[in-house]
Amino acid sequence: MTKTEILDHFALYAMQAQIEKMGITNPFSMAQTSYRLAVEMLEHRDRILREWQRDQEMRHKQINSDIKELDLPIRYHRCLVSEQILMKQDLCNWTEREMRRIPNLGAKGLQFVKEAMALHGLKFKGQSND
């Protein structure tokens, strides 16, 4: 099921529940109410889809940006660059264990990197969603 189909499915059941809750028995009133609710739900669906699309675009833009935005100390930034980690996406493709093996990064540097990633909503490969 696509996101649109899921939203339509929930909207249909919500509309049916709303009509039952109102206790409408007149077919003409039911049709008018159904139409009004359907229009409202379509507007809400379109708004939700726009928000999802905007969130995806922001996430894509954020993860494909330079690691300079992490504001790491220059020493740790150079350690990452020496390993060809230039973009946030590159950083997310490394595991924490692999990061420990980077020369001159050390435990303190790894902690700086982890904190900077957390501030930007990034995670290492294989890291759980805590």
Side-chain angles (χ1 to χ4, degrees), residues 6-126:
I6 291 171
L7 287 174
D8 289 342
H9 178 75
F10 285 126
L12 178 65
Y13 283 107
M15 186 171 64
Q16 288 173 348
Q18 189 73 6
I19 289 171
E20 289 175 10
K21 183 179 175 183
M22 291 178 182
I24 299 173
T25 55
N26 181 342
F28 181 73
S29 297
M30 189 179 296
Q32 284 181 322
T33 305
S34 296
Y35 178 77
R36 182 181 51 79
L37 290 173
V39 169
E40 288 176 9
M41 289 182 186
L42 284 174
E43 290 171 359
H44 289 300
R45 181 191 71 183
D46 292 341
R47 182 180 48 81
I48 290 169
L49 288 174
R50 282 193 305 272
E51 288 175 8
W52 278 345
Q53 185 178 17
R54 187 175 58 244
D55 288 346
Q56 284 179 328
E57 289 170 358
M58 287 178 61
R59 177 77 174 147
H60 180 73
K61 182 180 175 183
Q62 178 188 25
I63 204 158
N64 289 321
S65 59
D66 198 322
I67 61 167
K68 289 178 185 175
E69 294 179 7
L70 295 177
D71 295 326
L72 293 170
I74 191 70
R75 174 183 176 170
Y76 306 125
H77 181 268
R78 286 183 180 158
C79 290
L80 297 177
V81 171
S82 71
E83 295 292 323
Q84 299 302 313
I85 301 173
L86 306 173
M87 307 295 278
K88 291 179 184 176
Q89 178 67 45
D90 300 334
L91 189 57
C92 292
N93 289 332
W94 283 61
T95 64
E96 193 171 338
R97 185 177 191 157
E98 293 169 332
M99 293 293 290
R100 287 189 188 113
R101 295 184 181 143
I102 295 177
N104 301 321
L105 186 62
K108 187 174 180 181
L110 181 59
Q111 189 61 34
F112 269 108
V113 171
K114 286 169 59 175
E115 289 172 4
M117 288 177 72
L119 286 174
H120 289 263
L122 304 172
K123 292 181 171 66
F124 288 119
K125 181 170 77 174

